[in-house]
Amino acid sequence: MKLNKNFKNLADDYLFAEVAKRVDDYKAAFPTADVISLGIGDATLPLSLKVVDAAKSAATDLGVKSGFRGYGPYDGYPFLKNAIIDYYTLRGVSIESDEVFVTDGAKNGIGNILDLFDVDNTVMIQDPVYPAYVDANVIAGHKIVFADATRENGFVAMPPKRGKADIIYLCSPNNPTGTAYTLAQLKEWVDYALDVGAVIIYDAAYEAYVESKDAARSIFQVTGARDCAVEVCSFSKMAGFTGVRCGWTVIPMGSPLNRLWYRRQAIKFNGTSYVVQRMAESALRGGYEDTKKMVAEYKNNAKIITKKFDELGIEYTGGVDAPYIWFDCGVDSWKFFDHLLKKTRLVCTPGSGFGINGNGWVRLTSFNSKERTEEAIKRFEPFWREFIAVRDKLFERV
């Protein structure tokens, strides 16, 4: 028996596990401390009652002979696939039923799709980036190159003028920076992929938060994308399904990946549960107004944060088209994390955990209640004013 040696190439600790460990250690030392998390991007608002009713109704179906269902379709039930197709129609995008694959979440989709590719592929990933992209490709043994997102380009990575890749991961709106590609910027990536013969794996998990008129909601809004792109999306952040688990992948019929993905799912996946798919259908149908209200509440929390940052003169990106605010702390990200937690009992996510370009930056999320977000910012303001006054004395600048 031989183990996959690529696991040895992973970083010692997964970012969010390390955040959780440090918070747990702090709570153990100060058990009565009122800790507020604006760190890990986990939904906190309850599910729509219409979505819950859909779950109850679906469970009742399974309790009678006439409604019982066993194994479902590998690619999803038609009722949910049709709801997803209609959702895309609202964006001006036309897709077919055979192009939609229901999954148990975007994270699984962006990692599992690597089963379709040979080890001899070069993968281009944004830096900073959601760490699961990197880790999944390290495990797969792929060569990884990075497209830099920095202060100089507004944390919007663009195609390189030299070099090529075979697989390109794009996330828009971006986790962690909160930036969103415009349609014109995405067109540059599509043209680049077509020119070098690459496939784009496009993570649109936060598309429901887009409000800028020129920002993309789907890569398939871009001419040529059907010839080079796969889109992965999720109900987690649009409908609060982080604990329910449901998402989808769109692969155009003209792509050789379409039937390969169906074959892969048939081998390794028996489909998302009937109950969950009925819940997801409700989130796009009868419960859609509740879905939009949930997104609006999280977006309002982001505005609470960015309004205060504007007053304090803090440099940041995000908060408009995404539930993330990415700001310049000016010092080592983990040292800032520890200092913030100690002084204010607030939890952030260190930017260095998202890549080299993230050091000196911090991610906050708007996934909390309005009351807790307001309390967090109330604590943050005096902290920041004091921090700026003593930063150069206590910390080495990044």
Side-chain angles (χ1 to χ4, degrees):
M1 187 275 288
K2 297 180 180 178
L3 298 174
N4 181 347
K5 62 183 179 181
N6 293 319
F7 274 86
K8 296 180 180 179
N9 298 324
L10 292 171
D12 291 338
D13 291 299
Y14 185 57
L15 169 62
F16 301 110
E18 179 62 22
V19 168
K21 178 181 181 300
R22 294 195 186 200
V23 173
D24 287 343
D25 289 346
Y26 179 83
K27 288 180 177 179
F30 303 95
T32 62
D34 178 22
V35 176
I36 300 176
S37 178
L38 300 181
I40 295 175
D42 192 3
T44 58
L45 297 177
L47 297 175
S48 160
L49 292 181
K50 292 181 180 178
V51 170
V52 173
D53 286 342
K56 293 177 181 178
S57 178
T60 299
D61 288 346
L62 299 179
V64 297
K65 187 174 182 179
S66 60
F68 178 77
R69 289 167 174 78
Y71 294 123
Y74 298 121
D75 54 343
Y77 285 101
F79 60 78
L80 179 53
K81 295 178 69 169
N82 289 335
I84 292 170
I85 290 170
D86 291 345
Y87 184 69
Y88 273 83
T89 299
L90 295 175
R91 313 281 171 254
V93 174
S94 178
I95 56 176
E96 301 175 15
S97 180
D98 287 344
E99 297 176 331
V100 180
F101 299 83
V102 178
T103 68
D104 53 352
K107 186 174 185 178
N108 290 354
I110 62 178
N112 290 340
I113 201 166
L114 296 179
D115 284 356
L116 309 188
F117 302 105
D118 187 84
V119 67
D120 186 21
N121 276 291
T122 297
V123 181
M124 182 175 291
I125 301 176
Q126 298 160 292
D127 181 345
V129 72
Y130 180 48
Y133 300 168
V134 175
D135 290 348
N137 280 281
V138 168
I139 293 170
H142 293 151
K143 177 184 177 181
I144 300 174
V145 297
F146 292 97
D148 287 328
T150 63
R151 173 189 278 110
E152 287 67 33
N153 60 20
F155 286 99
V156 178
M158 296 304 293
K161 298 187 182 303
R162 297 181 181 178
K164 66 180 292 292
D166 305 299
I167 303 168
I168 301 165
Y169 275 81
L170 298 180
C171 178
S172 180
N174 184 269
N175 179 10
T177 67
T179 56
Y181 280 114
T182 65
L183 292 172
Q185 290 168 334
L186 268 189
K187 185 66 168 67
E188 291 188 42
W189 275 108
V190 168
D191 290 345
Y192 171 80
L194 292 172
D195 183 55
V196 301
V199 60
I200 296 174
I201 300 174
Y202 185 79
D203 184 352
Y206 305 98
E207 59 80 27
Y209 290 80
V210 170
E211 65 179 53
S212 299
K213 292 182 178 179
D214 60 346
R217 296 290 293 267
S218 167
I219 196 169
F220 296 121
Q221 293 173 283
V222 177
T223 302
R226 289 184 60 85
D227 296 321
C228 65
V230 169
E231 182 160 295
V232 178
C233 205
S234 170
F235 289 92
S236 286
K237 306 304 169 57
M238 78 149 71
F241 276 34
T242 51
V244 177
R245 309 308 304 152
C246 192
W248 70 85
T249 302
V250 177
I251 306 179
M253 284 299 294
S255 170
L257 299 177
N258 182 283
R259 291 299 90 188
L260 285 179
W261 181 243
Y262 183 87
R263 181 70 170 138
R264 186 267 175 205
Q265 296 296 80
I267 293 170
K268 291 190 174 183
F269 184 56
N270 271 326
T272 305
S273 81
Y274 170 71
V275 173
V276 167
Q277 290 194 54
R278 281 297 188 190
M279 295 171 71
E281 178 196 24
S282 176
L284 295 181
R285 300 285 201 202
Y288 187 49
E289 289 304 314
D290 292 340
T291 297
K292 291 194 293 184
K293 288 178 182 177
M294 178 180 293
V295 170
E297 186 164 344
Y298 288 137
K299 286 178 67 65
N300 185 62
N301 289 343
K303 291 177 181 177
I304 292 171
I305 297 170
T306 57
K307 180 181 179 181
K308 181 56 63 177
F309 278 19
D310 288 337
E311 292 175 7
L312 295 173
I314 298 175
E315 181 181 358
Y316 69 90
T317 61
V320 176
D321 296 310
Y324 298 118
I325 297 90
W326 178 253
F327 74 94
D328 178 17
C329 68
V331 303
D332 178 85
S333 297
W334 278 110
K335 289 182 179 178
F336 182 85
F337 172 93
D338 290 332
H339 189 62
L340 180 69
L341 180 60
K342 177 181 177 181
K343 293 292 185 178
T344 67
R345 306 173 307 286
L346 299 179
V347 179
C348 64
T349 305
S352 56
F354 297 99
I356 293 175
N357 293 331
N359 196 25
W361 292 74
V362 171
R363 190 194 77 173
L364 297 182
T365 84
S366 62
F367 292 116
N368 214 314
S369 68
K370 178 182 178 182
E371 293 73 24
R372 296 295 274 172
T373 302
E374 289 176 335
E375 171 61 24
I377 292 305
K378 183 179 179 181
R379 296 182 192 179
F380 183 87
E381 181 174 5
F383 161 82
W384 182 260
R385 295 186 187 281
E386 179 183 349
F387 173 71
I388 290 298
V390 301
R391 179 169 57 184
D392 291 341
K393 296 179 181 179
L394 299 179
F395 301 96
E396 181 179 350
R397 296 294 295 273
V398 172

